[in-house]
Amino acid sequence: MNMGKRALIVGASGGIGRGIAGRLAADGWHILAQGRRSMALNETLEAVRQAGGEGQTFEAELDDMSQVAALAAWAREAGPLQAVIWSAGGGRSVATGPEAIAEWERTLATALHAPMQLAAHTLASLQATQGAYLFVCGMYAKMGVARMAAHCAARHGLEGFAKALFEEVRESGVGVTLIHPGFVHSRLTASDRLDPAKMIRVADIAETVAMALALSPQACVTELTVRPQRSPYRPGGTG
Protein backbone atom coordinates (compact mmCIF):
# COMPACT_ATOMS: atom_id res chain seq x y z
CA MET A 1 0.00 0.00 0.00
CA ASN A 2 1.06 3.60 -0.67
CA MET A 3 -0.73 5.05 2.34
CA GLY A 4 -0.02 8.75 2.66
CA LYS A 5 1.30 9.31 -0.86
CA ARG A 6 -0.36 12.11 -2.80
CA ALA A 7 -1.08 12.17 -6.51
CA LEU A 8 -2.25 15.24 -8.40
CA ILE A 9 -4.43 14.09 -11.30
CA VAL A 10 -5.14 16.74 -13.92
CA GLY A 11 -8.25 15.95 -15.91
CA ALA A 12 -9.65 13.83 -13.09
CA SER A 13 -13.26 14.56 -14.01
CA GLY A 14 -12.93 12.76 -17.36
CA GLY A 15 -13.23 9.05 -17.98
CA ILE A 16 -9.54 8.13 -17.97
CA GLY A 17 -8.64 10.57 -15.19
CA ARG A 18 -11.47 9.30 -12.99
CA GLY A 19 -10.43 5.70 -13.64
CA ILE A 20 -6.86 6.49 -12.61
CA ALA A 21 -8.08 8.26 -9.48
CA GLY A 22 -10.13 5.26 -8.37
CA ARG A 23 -7.36 2.77 -9.14
CA LEU A 24 -4.71 4.69 -7.19
CA ALA A 25 -7.14 5.29 -4.33
CA ALA A 26 -7.50 1.52 -4.03
CA ASP A 27 -3.73 1.38 -3.45
CA GLY A 28 -3.95 3.96 -0.69
CA TRP A 29 -3.01 7.10 -2.58
CA HIS A 30 -4.55 10.40 -1.48
CA ILE A 31 -6.03 11.96 -4.62
CA LEU A 32 -5.80 15.63 -5.54
CA ALA A 33 -8.27 15.93 -8.41
CA GLN A 34 -8.40 18.79 -10.92
CA GLY A 35 -11.27 19.39 -13.28
CA ARG A 36 -13.39 22.12 -14.82
CA ARG A 37 -16.81 21.25 -13.43
CA SER A 38 -17.72 20.82 -9.77
CA MET A 39 -20.42 18.21 -10.40
CA ALA A 40 -18.05 15.97 -12.35
CA LEU A 41 -15.33 16.42 -9.75
CA ASN A 42 -17.76 15.40 -7.00
CA GLU A 43 -18.47 12.21 -8.96
CA THR A 44 -14.74 11.52 -9.12
CA LEU A 45 -14.41 12.11 -5.39
CA GLU A 46 -17.22 9.63 -4.79
CA ALA A 47 -15.43 7.06 -6.96
CA VAL A 48 -12.29 7.62 -4.88
CA ARG A 49 -14.21 7.03 -1.67
CA GLN A 50 -15.87 3.91 -3.04
CA ALA A 51 -12.37 2.60 -3.77
CA GLY A 52 -11.45 3.13 -0.12
CA GLY A 53 -9.51 6.36 -0.53
CA GLU A 54 -9.77 10.05 0.23
CA GLY A 55 -9.27 13.11 -1.90
CA GLN A 56 -9.69 16.79 -2.54
CA THR A 57 -10.76 18.72 -5.62
CA PHE A 58 -9.72 21.91 -7.39
CA GLU A 59 -11.42 23.64 -10.31
CA ALA A 60 -9.16 25.26 -12.89
CA GLU A 61 -9.25 26.26 -16.55
CA LEU A 62 -6.08 24.92 -18.13
CA ASP A 63 -5.84 27.54 -20.87
CA ASP A 64 -5.27 30.17 -18.15
CA MET A 65 -1.69 29.93 -16.89
CA SER A 66 -2.50 31.86 -13.70
CA GLN A 67 -5.00 29.12 -12.82
CA VAL A 68 -2.39 26.45 -13.63
CA ALA A 69 0.00 28.16 -11.21
CA ALA A 70 -2.75 28.30 -8.58
CA LEU A 71 -3.41 24.58 -9.08
CA ALA A 72 0.26 23.80 -8.52
CA ALA A 73 0.35 25.94 -5.37
CA TRP A 74 -2.74 24.18 -4.00
CA ALA A 75 -1.19 20.77 -4.65
CA ARG A 76 2.09 21.73 -2.96
CA GLU A 77 0.28 23.11 0.07
CA ALA A 78 -1.64 19.85 0.51
CA GLY A 79 1.56 18.11 1.63
CA PRO A 80 4.38 16.07 0.09
CA LEU A 81 3.59 15.33 -3.55
CA GLN A 82 4.71 12.00 -5.03
CA ALA A 83 3.02 12.00 -8.45
CA VAL A 84 1.67 14.42 -11.04
CA ILE A 85 -0.52 12.71 -13.63
CA TRP A 86 -1.62 14.61 -16.72
CA SER A 87 -4.79 13.27 -18.35
CA ALA A 88 -6.25 16.40 -19.90
CA GLY A 89 -6.24 18.59 -22.95
CA GLY A 90 -7.96 18.15 -26.26
CA GLY A 91 -8.41 19.91 -29.57
CA ARG A 92 -11.35 20.58 -31.84
CA SER A 93 -11.50 19.76 -35.53
CA VAL A 94 -10.84 22.93 -37.51
CA ALA A 95 -9.55 23.59 -41.02
CA THR A 96 -6.26 25.44 -41.34
CA GLY A 97 -6.79 29.11 -42.03
CA PRO A 98 -7.06 32.47 -40.23
CA GLU A 99 -10.28 31.41 -38.49
CA ALA A 100 -8.41 28.50 -36.86
CA ILE A 101 -5.87 30.63 -35.00
CA ALA A 102 -7.93 31.23 -31.84
CA GLU A 103 -8.66 27.50 -31.51
CA TRP A 104 -5.01 26.67 -32.13
CA GLU A 105 -3.95 29.04 -29.35
CA ARG A 106 -6.47 27.53 -26.94
CA THR A 107 -5.41 23.98 -27.79
CA LEU A 108 -1.69 24.69 -27.46
CA ALA A 109 -2.25 26.46 -24.15
CA THR A 110 -4.34 23.63 -22.73
CA ALA A 111 -2.49 20.61 -24.07
CA LEU A 112 1.13 21.80 -24.17
CA HIS A 113 1.86 25.01 -22.28
CA ALA A 114 -0.21 23.98 -19.24
CA PRO A 115 1.53 20.62 -18.60
CA MET A 116 4.93 22.22 -19.16
CA GLN A 117 4.22 25.03 -16.72
CA LEU A 118 2.67 22.66 -14.19
CA ALA A 119 5.87 20.59 -14.29
CA ALA A 120 7.94 23.72 -13.74
CA HIS A 121 5.83 24.69 -10.72
CA THR A 122 5.88 21.21 -9.12
CA LEU A 123 9.37 19.93 -9.93
CA ALA A 124 10.95 20.93 -6.62
CA SER A 125 8.19 19.07 -4.79
CA LEU A 126 8.76 15.86 -6.79
CA GLN A 127 12.51 16.12 -6.41
CA ALA A 128 12.02 16.26 -2.64
CA THR A 129 10.04 13.00 -2.67
CA GLN A 130 11.71 11.38 -5.71
CA GLY A 131 8.27 11.24 -7.26
CA ALA A 132 7.07 10.82 -10.83
CA TYR A 133 5.35 12.58 -13.71
CA LEU A 134 2.99 10.59 -15.94
CA PHE A 135 1.63 12.13 -19.12
CA VAL A 136 -1.31 10.38 -20.80
CA CYS A 137 -0.44 11.62 -24.26
CA GLY A 138 -1.96 9.46 -26.98
CA MET A 139 -1.53 8.40 -30.58
CA TYR A 140 -1.83 11.97 -31.90
CA ALA A 141 1.79 12.27 -30.72
CA LYS A 142 2.71 9.71 -33.38
CA MET A 143 0.71 10.88 -36.41
CA GLY A 144 -0.80 13.76 -38.33
CA VAL A 145 -4.55 14.04 -38.77
CA ALA A 146 -6.33 16.47 -41.09
CA ARG A 147 -8.09 19.37 -39.33
CA MET A 148 -6.35 18.46 -36.03
CA ALA A 149 -3.14 20.42 -36.59
CA ALA A 150 -2.89 22.08 -33.19
CA HIS A 151 -3.86 18.94 -31.29
CA CYS A 152 -1.23 16.90 -33.15
CA ALA A 153 1.33 19.67 -32.61
CA ALA A 154 0.54 19.80 -28.89
CA ARG A 155 0.83 16.03 -28.46
CA HIS A 156 4.07 15.86 -30.45
CA GLY A 157 5.36 18.72 -28.30
CA LEU A 158 4.30 17.07 -25.06
CA GLU A 159 6.12 13.89 -26.06
CA GLY A 160 9.29 15.87 -26.77
CA PHE A 161 8.99 17.77 -23.50
CA ALA A 162 8.55 14.60 -21.45
CA LYS A 163 11.56 12.93 -23.04
CA ALA A 164 13.72 16.01 -22.45
CA LEU A 165 12.44 16.36 -18.88
CA PHE A 166 13.41 12.77 -18.06
CA GLU A 167 16.99 13.40 -19.16
CA GLU A 168 17.06 16.53 -17.03
CA VAL A 169 15.67 15.06 -13.80
CA ARG A 170 16.55 11.36 -13.83
CA GLU A 171 19.64 11.77 -11.65
CA SER A 172 17.53 13.44 -8.96
CA GLY A 173 15.32 10.34 -8.82
CA VAL A 174 12.27 11.81 -10.57
CA GLY A 175 10.52 9.50 -13.02
CA VAL A 176 8.85 10.64 -16.24
CA THR A 177 6.47 8.33 -18.10
CA LEU A 178 4.58 8.80 -21.36
CA ILE A 179 1.52 6.62 -21.96
CA HIS A 180 0.02 6.51 -25.45
CA PRO A 181 -3.43 4.87 -25.46
CA GLY A 182 -5.19 3.94 -28.66
CA PHE A 183 -8.98 4.09 -28.75
CA VAL A 184 -10.28 3.95 -25.17
CA HIS A 185 -13.98 3.33 -24.60
CA SER A 186 -15.24 6.60 -23.13
CA ARG A 187 -17.71 9.39 -23.79
CA LEU A 188 -15.15 11.26 -25.91
CA THR A 189 -14.58 8.38 -28.31
CA ALA A 190 -18.22 7.46 -28.95
CA SER A 191 -18.66 6.97 -32.70
CA ASP A 192 -20.80 4.91 -35.03
CA ARG A 193 -17.57 3.86 -36.77
CA LEU A 194 -16.18 2.16 -33.65
CA ASP A 195 -17.16 -1.01 -31.83
CA PRO A 196 -17.01 -0.35 -28.06
CA ALA A 197 -16.53 -4.07 -27.36
CA LYS A 198 -13.14 -3.92 -29.11
CA MET A 199 -11.87 -0.71 -27.52
CA ILE A 200 -9.42 -0.42 -24.64
CA ARG A 201 -11.04 -0.27 -21.21
CA VAL A 202 -10.42 2.74 -18.97
CA ALA A 203 -9.38 0.22 -16.33
CA ASP A 204 -6.56 -0.95 -18.60
CA ILE A 205 -5.04 2.53 -18.71
CA ALA A 206 -5.53 3.00 -14.97
CA GLU A 207 -3.76 -0.31 -14.36
CA THR A 208 -0.88 0.78 -16.59
CA VAL A 209 -0.46 3.97 -14.55
CA ALA A 210 -0.53 2.02 -11.28
CA MET A 211 2.11 -0.37 -12.62
CA ALA A 212 4.41 2.46 -13.66
CA LEU A 213 4.15 4.04 -10.22
CA ALA A 214 4.78 0.73 -8.43
CA LEU A 215 8.24 0.08 -9.88
CA SER A 216 11.34 0.27 -7.70
CA PRO A 217 13.41 3.48 -7.66
CA GLN A 218 15.91 1.67 -9.89
CA ALA A 219 13.48 1.52 -12.84
CA CYS A 220 11.38 3.94 -14.85
CA VAL A 221 8.97 3.15 -17.66
CA THR A 222 9.67 6.08 -19.97
CA GLU A 223 7.14 5.29 -22.71
CA LEU A 224 4.26 2.86 -23.19
CA THR A 225 1.90 2.40 -26.14
CA VAL A 226 -1.40 0.63 -25.46
CA ARG A 227 -3.44 -0.35 -28.52
CA PRO A 228 -6.66 -2.32 -28.96
CA GLN A 229 -5.88 -5.99 -29.50
CA ARG A 230 -8.37 -6.06 -32.40
CA SER A 231 -9.22 -3.17 -34.69
CA PRO A 232 -12.25 -1.37 -33.23
CA TYR A 233 -13.36 -0.06 -36.63
CA ARG A 234 -16.68 -1.45 -37.81
CA PRO A 235 -16.87 -2.85 -41.35
CA GLY A 236 -16.58 0.02 -43.75
CA GLY A 237 -14.57 2.14 -41.27
CA THR A 238 -10.99 3.25 -41.85
CA GLY A 239 -7.83 3.57 -39.75
Side-chain angles (χ1 to χ4, degrees):
M1 297 286 283
N2 292 302
M3 195 65 67
K5 285 190 175 183
R6 290 176 174 81
L8 170 61
I9 302 177
V10 182
S13 58
I16 292 176
R18 182 174 296 159
I20 293 170
R23 176 63 183 84
L24 294 186
D27 276 352
W29 287 77
H30 184 89
I31 304 301
L32 306 175
Q34 178 277 338
R36 298 175 58 242
R37 303 179 307 278
S38 59
M39 184 176 297
L41 280 172
N42 288 337
E43 291 172 0
T44 296
L45 197 58
E46 179 58 28
V48 166
R49 290 170 178 158
Q50 289 181 2
E54 293 293 335
Q56 301 160 252
T57 64
F58 190 94
E59 292 180 50
E61 295 289 345
L62 298 176
D63 59 355
D64 182 337
M65 296 307 112
S66 66
Q67 294 190 41
V68 173
L71 169 64
W74 169 76
R76 294 194 307 267
E77 291 166 3
L81 187 62
Q82 284 81 14
V84 174
I85 299 165
W86 185 272
S87 180
R92 300 188 182 98
S93 176
V94 58
T96 296
E99 66 283 355
I101 292 174
E103 172 59 21
W104 286 355
E105 290 179 344
R106 186 202 67 80
T107 298
L108 290 170
T110 301
L112 180 58
H113 301 156
M116 291 177 69
Q117 293 198 24
L118 183 68
H121 286 304
T122 56
L123 180 56
S125 297
L126 291 196
Q127 286 175 323
T129 62
Q130 296 194 330
Y133 291 100
L134 286 97
F135 299 100
V136 181
C137 195
M139 299 309 297
Y140 280 99
K142 305 294 187 182
M143 64 179 69
V145 179
R147 300 177 62 91
M148 297 294 287
H151 187 64
C152 290
R155 295 305 193 187
H156 278 73
L158 183 57
E159 179 180 38
F161 171 71
K163 289 178 176 179
L165 181 63
F166 176 68
E167 297 301 334
E168 185 175 344
V169 303
R170 62 189 301 185
E171 298 302 330
S172 63
V174 176
V176 182
T177 299
L178 276 163
I179 298 176
H180 301 296
F183 284 116
V184 178
H185 181 42
S186 71
R187 178 180 57 83
L188 292 177
T189 53
S191 170
D192 291 340
R193 296 187 305 147
L194 300 170
D195 181 354
K198 295 180 180 178
M199 296 170 75
I200 300 165
R201 305 289 97 181
V202 166
D204 295 324
I205 305 305
E207 194 65 35
T208 301
V209 170
M211 178 273 292
L213 290 174
L215 295 180
S216 76
Q218 286 71 43
C220 178
V221 176
T222 57
E223 191 168 12
L224 279 167
T225 299
V226 184
R227 298 188 64 190
Q229 177 63 42
R230 298 173 178 82
S231 172
Y233 284 98
R234 298 183 189 277
T238 60

